[in-house]
Amino acid sequence: MEMQEEEKREEQYEGVRLCDVISIEEIVSVHYFQYKSNFAFPGESHDFWELICVDYGEIRVVAGEREIPLRQGELYFHRPGEFHNVLTDGRISPSLVVIGFFCRSSPMERFSGKLLSVDEREKELLGRIVREASSVFSGRMDDPYQKKLRFSRKAPFGGAQLIRQYLSELLISLYRRSFSRVPAERGRGERGERGERYRRIVRYMESHIREKMTISRICRDNLIGSSQLQKIFRKNAGIGAIELFSRMKIEEAKRMIREGGCNMTEISDRLGYSSVHYFSRQFKKLAAMSPTAYESSIRSLSEKKG
């Protein structure tokens, strides 16, 4: 009787096979580099997927016969066989993450031709991919002409698996936010005249990111009433104009920290904060960590930019 009870308990356990909805077969390239403002590239096409994400500045990506503007925090997927290129504006030297990979999973088709934004979690996943790749593979991460990755003799245990895992997690996160539910479309903005006005004001704020900003100044310089301004920003960004400007400032501060060369007081001064203490409070409020904690958390990534 006791034997039968024991066998019954054992039979209650049954494994479940875990299936990959997105399976990364091979990694072809992992790059993090800063293009020169006048960088010229003839363009190319290949038989694997390539994602390109702007970490700083803005570019235009050529995708077949289309030219698509890509700004900081935005990402685009080039499908296999698509001719593509990167065009700069001759003024700003943009920083880009570029990852090439083979994937035949059907959900990838949803990414084709889509311009997406990345959230903070997805930015961190991109950072992890770049950091891990710098240890797993030999050669420079900022060489856009590198055609083959080569494993480093000092590659850490499990590094290649982590790259695939982080990339899979990134793709799943993007898919869930963009396709698994009806997207709110915030950040992409309205179409038509009001959408273009929103984007024009955002560009205005970007050009004055190192200055102090008020609602009255935005309205005066852009010939718009305060109530209309807030309505446009609530509709397109989901937040007010000054809150968005504050977030943009912190993103600029992050870039300056990553690039090095300035201490926290200098960054605070250059971004127009009244004091380094106020800058630190704002940074922690929006980034969930202090500027010094952020600096140490991405130090290895910043060293790969040169």
Side-chain angles (χ1 to χ4, degrees):
M1 187 69 174
E2 291 181 0
M3 182 67 71
Q4 290 178 347
E5 288 295 329
E6 185 176 345
E7 291 177 352
K8 185 177 180 180
R9 285 197 298 272
E10 290 178 353
E11 291 173 355
Q12 292 175 350
Y13 295 95
E14 183 176 350
V16 177
R17 182 176 295 276
L18 301 178
C19 300
D20 292 341
V21 292
I22 295 180
S23 179
I24 308 300
E25 300 165 18
E26 296 180 33
I27 292 288
V28 181
S29 61
V30 180
H31 294 297
Y32 187 106
F33 44 65
Q34 185 174 23
Y35 277 110
K36 293 183 178 179
S37 60
N38 60 349
F39 177 81
F41 184 66
E44 62 181 3
S45 62
H46 39 61
D47 58 349
F48 52 86
W49 288 91
E50 183 173 285
L51 71 82
I52 180 169
C53 182
V54 179
D55 190 36
Y56 172 71
E58 59 183 67
I59 60 172
R60 285 174 293 139
V61 294
V62 175
E65 297 181 354
R66 297 187 300 157
E67 283 191 16
I68 303 148
L70 209 63
R71 296 188 290 272
Q72 182 173 328
E74 293 183 329
L75 178 150
Y76 188 84
F77 285 87
H78 295 293
R79 63 175 300 107
E82 178 179 74
F83 176 81
H84 57 277
N85 198 359
V86 171
L87 304 176
T88 59
D89 62 6
R91 297 181 297 107
I92 300 175
S93 300
S95 297
L96 310 176
V97 177
V98 180
I99 303 173
F101 58 97
F102 282 99
C103 180
R104 290 178 290 183
S105 302
S106 58
M108 283 301 304
E109 293 300 321
R110 297 293 299 273
F111 291 110
S112 180
K114 295 294 190 300
L115 175 62
L116 306 174
S117 61
V118 291
D119 61 19
E120 288 300 318
R121 176 167 169 266
E122 291 155 358
K123 288 180 184 178
E124 174 60 26
L125 286 169
L126 284 166
R128 290 183 182 183
I129 293 170
V130 173
R131 289 196 298 268
E132 201 66 35
S134 69
S135 299
V136 171
F137 304 113
S138 61
R140 292 172 49 184
M141 300 295 293
D142 60 352
D143 181 4
Y145 300 103
Q146 181 177 332
K147 295 297 183 181
K148 184 177 181 179
L149 293 172
R150 299 187 183 278
F151 284 102
S152 170
R153 293 181 179 179
K154 299 180 180 179
F157 174 78
Q161 183 175 343
L162 284 177
I163 293 172
R164 183 173 60 195
Q165 177 178 315
Y166 295 148
L167 180 54
S168 298
E169 186 176 350
L170 171 68
L171 296 173
I172 290 171
S173 177
L174 288 167
Y175 191 99
R176 284 183 173 182
R177 284 201 307 112
S178 304
F179 310 124
S180 292
R181 56 183 174 81
V182 178
E185 293 294 342
R186 288 178 176 176
R188 295 303 313 138
E190 298 173 280
R191 296 182 178 181
E193 183 179 348
R194 289 208 306 178
E196 178 54 36
R197 196 169 198 182
Y198 163 76
R199 290 185 285 274
R200 186 168 62 250
I201 296 172
V202 169
R203 290 194 293 270
Y204 162 83
M205 292 194 297
E206 289 173 343
S207 66
H208 294 83
I209 197 65
R210 301 193 176 195
E211 304 170 22
K212 294 180 180 179
M213 189 61 64
T214 63
I215 290 291
S216 59
R217 179 182 175 185
I218 296 173
C219 292
R220 183 191 69 235
D221 292 349
N222 291 274
L223 303 178
I224 187 174
S226 59
S227 60
Q228 186 181 7
L229 174 75
Q230 296 292 49
K231 184 176 180 180
I232 288 176
F233 271 77
R234 290 290 177 186
K235 179 69 174 179
N236 286 272
I239 55 178
I242 294 300
E243 184 177 351
L244 179 62
F245 185 71
S246 297
R247 294 185 182 186
M248 291 165 61
K249 270 186 177 291
I250 296 305
E251 288 303 315
E252 177 67 6
K254 288 180 180 179
R255 184 191 67 80
M256 295 174 71
I257 292 172
R258 289 197 301 268
E259 292 187 351
C262 296
N263 60 38
M264 297 307 168
T265 300
E266 291 170 333
I267 292 174
S268 172
D269 290 342
R270 293 188 184 189
L271 289 177
Y273 286 96
S274 57
S275 70
V276 67
H277 302 293
Y278 179 65
F279 162 65
S280 296
R281 289 198 302 271
Q282 287 294 102
F283 193 101
K284 189 171 184 178
K285 176 182 176 181
L286 296 175
M289 65 176 73
S290 68
T292 52
Y294 178 80
E295 180 182 30
S296 62
S297 71
I298 52 85
R299 174 62 68 186
S300 58
L301 178 58
S302 68
E303 291 173 351
K304 300 174 182 60
K305 293 188 176 183

